[in-house]
Amino acid sequence: EQYSVDLERLKQYFPIDNVTKGLLDIYQRIFNLRFEKISEPAAWHSDASLHSVFDATSGQFLGQFYMDLHPREGKYGHAAVFGLQPSVALPTGDRQPAVCALVCNFTAPYSALIPLL
């Protein structure tokens, strides 16, 4: 209000695909990670994407995360991160990787509007 910023007009500069790519790039740099998007993942909905996480230096597989960013009928109504599988030490000495899901409700990509943040 103080600066008369029109938040709806401002959103046009933040399409969700660009913002998501930018955030993932930043996380990879800051935390020395490498993310790989899995093509045709086993997921609860075709809108959900699955990404594997690796240590960028060693290449060690660390875990996976799903991103389900758009609203639809029957979907959880708030943004949340759900742990789907905890990381635990196995009797063999190996580690079971963690899996989580980021669930949000940004503008749907199949609407007449471009998904904006």
Side-chain angles (χ1 to χ4, degrees):
E1 279 185 23
Q2 181 179 355
Y3 299 104
S4 299
V5 174
D6 183 341
L7 296 180
E8 291 306 310
R9 287 192 63 198
L10 186 63
K11 287 180 181 183
Q12 70 182 331
Y13 299 101
F14 298 94
I16 193 166
D17 290 341
N18 292 356
V19 173
T20 302
K21 181 187 178 317
L23 285 173
L24 293 178
D25 288 347
I26 289 169
Y27 292 145
Q28 289 178 102
R29 270 196 317 271
I30 290 175
F31 298 114
N32 193 42
L33 299 172
R34 180 172 48 87
F35 300 142
E36 288 184 11
K37 188 173 182 178
I38 305 301
S39 60
E40 301 183 33
W44 52 91
H45 193 274
S46 61
D47 284 352
S49 61
L50 176 62
H51 305 261
S52 291
V53 182
F54 299 88
D55 180 284
T57 303
S58 69
Q60 179 184 7
F61 175 69
L62 300 174
Q64 293 182 309
F65 64 94
Y66 287 91
M67 291 195 319
D68 188 358
L69 303 179
H70 308 291
R72 63 182 167 274
E73 185 70 32
K75 183 179 170 192
Y76 185 74
H78 303 284
V81 174
F82 297 101
L84 303 177
Q85 173 178 287
S87 176
V88 296
L90 301 173
T92 63
D94 293 329
R95 189 146 203 79
Q96 173 179 288
V99 180
C100 68
L102 172 63
V103 177
C104 301
N105 286 290
F106 299 115
T107 304
Y110 40 83
S111 72
L113 303 172
I114 296 172
L116 304 174
L117 294 177

